[in-house]
Amino acid sequence: MSEPKTPTPAGDTYKGWVFKWTNYIKGYQRRWFVLSNGLLSYYRTQAEMGHTCRGTINLATATITVDDACNFVISNGGAQTYHLKASCEVERQRWITALELAKAKAARMQAESDDSGDDFSLSSPPVAPGQGGASQNSEVQSALRTLGSKVEDLSTCNDLISKHGSALQRSLSELDSLRLTGEAGDKIRQVTERATLFRITSNAMINACQDFLALAQAHSKRWQKALQAERDQRVRLEETLEQLAKQHNHLERAFRGAAQANATADNKSAAGPGKGEASDEDDDNEFFDAMEEAPEFITVPADPQFHKRSSSNVSGFNSEMCPDDQSLNEEPLAMNQESPSQELVPLKKRRTRIPDKPNYSLNLWSIMKNCIGKELSKIPMPVNFNEPISMLQRLSEDLEYHELLDKASKCQSSLEQMCYVAAFSVSSYSTTVHRTGKPFNPLLGETYELDRRRESGYRSLCEQVSHHPPAAAHHVISDRGWTLRQEITVASKFRGKYLSIMPLGTIHAIFEKGNNHYTWKKVTTTVHNIIVGKLWIDQSGEIDVVNHTTGDRCHLKFAPYSYFSRDVARKVTGVVMDKDGKAHYVLSGTWDEKMEFSRVMQSSRGGENGTEGKQKTVYQTLKAREVWRRNPLPEGAETMYYFTALALSLNELEDAVAPTDSRRRPDQRLMEDGRWEEANAEKQRLEEKQRSVRREREREAASQRTSSQSEEAVDEDSLTDPSLKSAPHENYQALWFERCEDRITGEQVHIYKGGYWEAKDRGSWEGCPDIF
């Protein structure tokens, strides 16, 4: 063969042919392996290196084991395990040596990267006194790993020399037993003498290697003991510093309390028993470093008994209790739950299962061949990428935790109400953590109703009011004192390895009690591993929930996922402030699991410096209370597109809905039934029908223009009329929503104009277009 049989080093890169186990039919197959930058990749041929990698494994977390003379196994403890076989023992040993060196280097680089975040660890003091030791620890560990690799190489060489030396000696003995004469006998005796000399030299080298191995093992244990002693000393030093900080805080507060007590005694002879005791309130306070993903503020627990005194009896605080907060006890936020006798009983049993998702493979050629000679906007995307639900139904899933708004409507305090509204804004993302499928794009004029008035007290209506750009209007009215409305337009950017989805539009929540009007926007959704790997979704960005009636504000931060972060994944933090900027509640949790709130008792500027040299705010809070928790997924959700209990019922057929309702969409229904080929054909038919209706609408609009304007049909996205450029779909009017200016945000939005539920009661749908 013209290809090299042995691996060839090229700087930090190592490459060569190795046999890889594929399956029981084909057995071991020869593959081209490349080791570079701590990653081991393989290809079928060398020519594939430029375009197709068959697999990659990270050696930093991998284990390398040797089966026999030529076989070895590489595994990362998960789904990736390579069973490899070299052509000979020498080649196997070269690969083992190269892999161990690459693994040690990758582990060292990862350790150095992890050590760079030690200053922000929750368990470390602000100025860690042993950071030099951490770097030294990394170097020692790296040296130990490298030394261990070399010792293993020597041990292998030792075994090979012993094995081959013994075999050579046996072969020579067999030749000597033949008692050959003449020149052959002289040659055999000469070879025997040289073999004896080689055996003596090899034994001497083996003894030296054994001595080196024993010495290296002894030193390795001594270094490990020394390293452990350094770690223990660092931990003791950190504990001492923490204790000193607590004692200093205690003495400072005791001095302040004593001074205030003396001043109070001079002014009031009959002071209450609670005065002057603030110095003892925070004896058990714990102080933590700032969280890595939330450097703007730090929260520390306040004394649980603090709530037993009013704000006038507490000294040393820079903020007083809000007068409209009725209680700061250990109970959850104030609300009056309805008695069981008043709860509404569902009249209809909703479905709890849909057909399982078929295991259809995606034929990329079937997509690519449709791209030839066509505009990208005209390429029909197959339903393989979808889930059997429309974007209107996905938007209705925001009501999964509508009870948060029910509780908010009963709150006496607008600040408490803000906590529930903020938690509701976070809860809408909990359904996306496993949902990697794309919803069906609604057709223009498509609607979806979600009537849960008898069960939950609300009615929801969505309508697709624009097609380019796609926009959906949503309106919810509840019998329990709140209204929700929104118009969402989605913008997306494909960035190679991931897709960013940016919802545009404002969400409004209005409460009858107090006439509080809240607005907020959605954060960016990122879909990772678009090209290669398993899809996963992350939410990142910031949300400002604003009460336009009182001026209250809640700033929420969705921390993006980071491989190097020590904080919990999918974290959300926030602070509820009044119009003067005074903090009253701190919110924390994750957007896929739960949210908690803590009542702020004191806020002050800390000595810690955050990003860009800003000082962090320290909040002393009462014990955290849970405000929202995600409902568990139904049994078997992994085979039903990871739908929640509400999502499973959204596409259930109902008789009295409008003819434009998403439940009646045929391609979506075929996909839910598992008939994907028919669904793809039906999807193309519906899209072409929508294009025909759009062209007809454009012709009608063109015919109505004045003679000075062009008589040619124009595309919806590029109308030449200057008066229509701000409203591309001026010639299309939504059926149940009307376009107007929002008085709060000033945006041009679609607001529900009424009539849908009355038409449903009459069973009269004459005005609905034929879109299916």
Side-chain angles (χ1 to χ4, degrees):
M1 300 292 291
S2 60
E3 297 88 346
K5 290 186 177 181
T6 59
T8 58
D12 291 337
T13 303
Y14 211 63
K15 58 184 71 174
W17 291 103
V18 182
F19 291 91
K20 179 181 180 295
W21 175 263
T22 56
N23 52 53
Y24 285 101
I25 298 176
K26 295 183 178 180
Y28 283 96
Q29 295 293 322
R30 199 173 71 145
R31 297 290 183 261
W32 181 257
F33 278 80
V34 177
L35 173 60
S36 179
N37 297 326
L39 299 176
L40 180 65
S41 305
Y42 76 93
Y43 311 83
R44 286 189 177 178
T45 63
Q46 291 174 267
E48 282 191 345
M49 290 180 60
H51 55 84
T52 304
C53 178
R54 301 293 175 174
T56 300
I57 192 167
N58 189 350
L59 294 178
T61 57
T63 58
I64 304 171
T65 57
V66 179
D67 282 354
D68 54 24
C70 296
N71 291 31
F72 57 103
V73 180
I74 304 173
S75 175
N76 64 355
Q80 289 180 299
T81 300
Y82 297 165
H83 294 266
L84 308 177
K85 181 173 67 174
S87 59
C88 62
E89 295 181 14
V90 176
E91 182 184 352
R92 195 274 326 259
Q93 191 54 44
R94 287 175 181 170
W95 272 107
I96 292 294
T97 303
L99 291 170
E100 289 291 352
L101 289 175
K103 177 182 177 181
K105 184 176 180 180
R108 181 170 66 253
M109 293 178 64
Q110 182 175 346
E112 291 173 356
S113 177
D114 291 343
D115 291 339
S116 64
D118 284 350
D119 291 343
F120 303 98
S121 174
L122 291 176
S123 60
S124 303
V127 181
Q131 290 179 5
S135 176
Q136 185 178 5
N137 173 21
S138 176
E139 294 178 2
V140 172
Q141 290 291 345
S142 176
L144 286 175
R145 285 192 292 267
T146 304
L147 182 60
S149 174
K150 297 301 181 184
V151 169
E152 185 177 350
D153 293 347
L154 288 174
S155 300
T156 304
C157 293
N158 184 0
D159 297 338
L160 290 175
I161 289 174
S162 299
K163 177 181 177 181
H164 294 314
S166 299
L168 177 61
Q169 198 69 36
R170 287 194 303 269
S171 299
L172 292 173
S173 299
E174 292 173 358
L175 284 175
D176 190 37
S177 65
L178 295 178
R179 296 181 180 179
L180 298 175
T181 59
E183 186 178 352
D186 295 337
K187 290 293 184 182
I188 291 176
R189 282 191 295 272
Q190 185 181 2
V191 172
T192 303
E193 290 175 359
R194 291 179 180 178
T196 303
L197 291 174
F198 173 75
R199 182 181 61 184
I200 294 172
T201 305
S202 299
N203 289 336
M205 191 191 76
I206 289 172
N207 293 333
C209 290
Q210 289 177 343
D211 294 339
F212 171 75
L213 179 60
L215 181 63
Q217 290 176 342
H219 278 286
S220 175
K221 293 179 180 178
R222 189 177 301 114
W223 288 350
Q224 290 178 356
K225 290 181 180 179
L227 180 62
Q228 187 61 39
E230 289 290 336
R231 288 178 176 174
D232 295 341
Q233 184 178 0
R234 178 182 177 182
V235 170
R236 288 194 296 269
L237 183 59
E238 290 174 353
E239 292 175 351
T240 303
L241 287 175
E242 183 179 1
Q243 190 65 27
L244 287 174
K246 288 183 178 181
Q247 292 177 1
H248 179 270
N249 179 71
H250 171 70
L251 291 174
E252 186 181 46
R253 293 185 180 278
F255 173 77
R256 188 190 308 165
Q260 173 123 11
N262 293 335
T264 305
D266 293 339
N267 296 330
K268 296 183 180 180
S269 59
K275 298 185 178 182
E277 297 178 0
S279 60
D280 297 329
E281 291 298 323
D282 299 303
D283 290 349
D284 297 327
N285 277 358
E286 297 181 27
F287 293 85
F288 300 93
D289 283 343
M291 293 175 290
E292 187 174 347
E293 297 296 341
E296 294 86 355
F297 61 87
I298 310 171
T299 60
V300 295
D303 195 315
Q305 299 299 321
F306 182 87
H307 64 274
K308 292 185 178 180
R309 295 196 300 273
S310 66
S311 59
S312 61
N313 294 333
V314 181
S315 61
F317 291 101
N318 65 346
S319 61
E320 297 179 355
M321 295 181 187
C322 186
D324 59 353
D325 288 332
Q326 293 186 337
S327 64
L328 293 174
N329 54 21
E330 296 298 318
E331 296 297 326
L333 292 180
M335 63 207 152
N336 297 321
Q337 298 287 352
E338 295 179 352
S339 62
S341 60
Q342 294 176 322
E343 292 183 356
L344 299 174
V345 179
L347 298 180
K348 179 178 180 180
K349 183 176 177 60
R350 305 292 175 179
R351 69 179 184 180
T352 58
R353 286 202 62 84
I354 61 174
D356 290 346
K357 177 181 179 181
N359 188 18
Y360 287 157
S361 60
L362 180 61
N363 186 359
L364 292 177
W365 170 242
S366 64
I367 303 174
M368 296 300 296
K369 66 181 181 181
N370 291 321
C371 300
I372 301 174
K374 292 186 178 181
E375 298 180 15
L376 293 178
S377 60
K378 302 294 180 63
I379 299 172
M381 298 302 292
V383 299
N384 303 59
F385 296 105
N386 288 32
E387 57 183 8
I389 206 170
S390 76
M391 190 62 194
L392 303 181
Q393 292 165 314
R394 190 74 173 262
L395 201 60
S396 301
E397 280 191 74
D398 287 357
L399 300 171
E400 174 90 18
Y401 301 96
H402 64 89
E403 64 271 9
L404 290 172
L405 297 181
D406 294 343
K407 296 174 183 177
S409 65
K410 300 183 179 70
C411 289
Q412 301 297 326
S413 165
S414 63
L415 294 168
E416 291 181 0
Q417 191 177 70
M418 175 68 82
C419 292
Y420 281 103
V421 176
F424 176 79
S425 69
V426 175
S427 68
S428 62
Y429 300 100
S430 64
T431 61
T432 67
V433 63
H434 298 297
R435 300 272 290 279
T436 56
K438 184 180 78 69
F440 278 78
N441 290 332
L443 303 174
L444 188 61
E446 186 174 335
T447 61
Y448 180 74
E449 69 162 68
L450 184 63
D451 191 352
R452 295 290 189 270
R453 190 172 186 180
R454 300 298 300 272
E455 298 97 323
S456 304
Y458 69 82
R459 279 178 167 180
S460 166
L461 176 65
C462 290
E463 181 180 1
Q464 187 77 358
V465 295
S466 173
H467 186 62
H468 286 297
H474 185 201
H475 184 270
V476 190
I477 182 68
S478 173
D479 296 338
R480 299 177 184 177
W482 55 269
T483 301
L484 184 75
R485 62 178 174 87
Q486 57 183 322
E487 181 178 346
I488 299 298
T489 301
V490 177
S492 60
K493 289 184 179 180
F494 179 61
R495 304 181 185 272
K497 299 174 71 173
Y498 61 91
L499 176 69
S500 296
I501 302 171
M502 295 151 287
L504 307 177
T506 304
I507 306 172
H508 299 254
I510 304 100
F511 294 90
E512 295 178 3
K513 188 176 183 179
N515 197 28
N516 290 322
H517 190 140
Y518 297 86
T519 63
W520 68 91
K521 295 179 180 291
K522 289 182 176 288
V523 296
T524 299
T525 299
T526 306
V527 184
H528 293 269
N529 294 343
I530 294 294
I531 303 298
V532 178
K534 183 179 180 181
L535 293 175
W536 62 278
I537 291 178
D538 191 25
Q539 313 288 347
S540 60
E542 299 181 1
I543 292 179
D544 279 315
V545 184
V546 181
N547 185 342
H548 296 274
T549 303
T550 63
D552 301 338
R553 181 182 298 268
C554 177
H555 181 74
L556 293 170
K557 179 178 179 181
F558 290 66
Y561 175 80
S562 173
Y563 178 80
F564 300 101
S565 174
R566 298 177 182 269
D567 214 339
V568 62
R570 308 181 182 95
K571 184 158 190 176
V572 182
T573 55
V575 180
V576 176
M577 298 175 288
D578 59 20
K579 63 180 180 180
D580 299 323
K582 184 171 63 177
H584 292 264
Y585 291 98
V586 172
L587 295 171
S588 63
T590 58
W591 54 263
D592 68 323
E593 189 61 34
K594 66 176 181 178
M595 289 294 292
E596 296 177 338
F597 71 92
S598 304
R599 179 72 171 91
V600 175
M601 304 311 302
Q602 179 188 10
S603 63
S604 61
R605 285 288 183 181
E608 307 283 342
N609 287 331
T611 57
E612 302 179 358
K614 297 179 181 179
Q615 282 189 326
K616 301 172 188 175
T617 303
V618 179
Y619 296 118
Q620 284 193 339
T621 63
L622 295 183
K623 184 179 179 181
R625 289 288 173 180
E626 188 174 278
V627 66
W628 163 75
R629 177 176 289 274
R630 178 175 65 94
N631 296 328
L633 290 174
E635 183 178 356
E638 62 277 1
T639 63
M640 298 185 293
Y641 308 89
Y642 287 97
F643 279 0
T644 63
L646 175 63
L648 290 174
S649 66
L650 293 180
N651 206 41
E652 187 175 7
L653 283 171
E654 294 185 16
D655 296 332
V657 298
T660 55
D661 197 276
S662 299
R663 299 175 180 86
R664 301 183 183 274
R665 182 166 176 164
D667 54 348
Q668 185 174 301
R669 181 66 57 189
L670 288 169
M671 183 193 176
E672 181 183 285
D673 294 338
R675 299 155 64 184
W676 284 17
E677 292 184 3
E678 299 175 57
N680 279 320
E682 191 67 17
K683 182 172 180 289
Q684 294 185 33
R685 182 189 68 81
L686 292 176
E687 290 172 351
E688 183 56 39
K689 180 178 180 179
Q690 181 174 235
R691 294 189 192 101
S692 300
V693 173
R694 185 184 67 178
R695 288 192 293 266
E696 180 64 28
R697 190 167 57 249
E698 289 172 352
R699 283 193 293 268
E700 292 178 0
S703 64
Q704 296 174 1
R705 294 177 185 167
T706 61
S707 57
S708 61
Q709 292 177 318
S710 173
E711 296 294 329
E712 297 177 357
V714 293
D715 186 74
E716 285 181 304
D717 296 326
S718 58
L719 292 176
T720 57
D721 188 352
S723 64
L724 298 178
K725 285 184 178 180
S726 61
H729 289 285
E730 192 82 13
N731 58 335
Y732 175 79
Q733 299 292 333
L735 185 59
W736 309 110
F737 291 79
E738 61 181 352
R739 188 177 180 86
C740 60
E741 181 177 329
D742 191 291
R743 63 180 182 85
I744 296 293
T745 64
E747 301 171 343
Q748 289 292 323
V749 296
H750 286 82
I751 296 180
Y752 178 61
K753 63 181 179 181
Y756 178 88
W757 304 108
E758 293 78 7
K760 181 181 179 181
D761 293 339
R762 297 192 307 268
S764 174
W765 303 109
E766 289 82 3
C768 293
D770 178 19
I771 60 175
F772 298 143

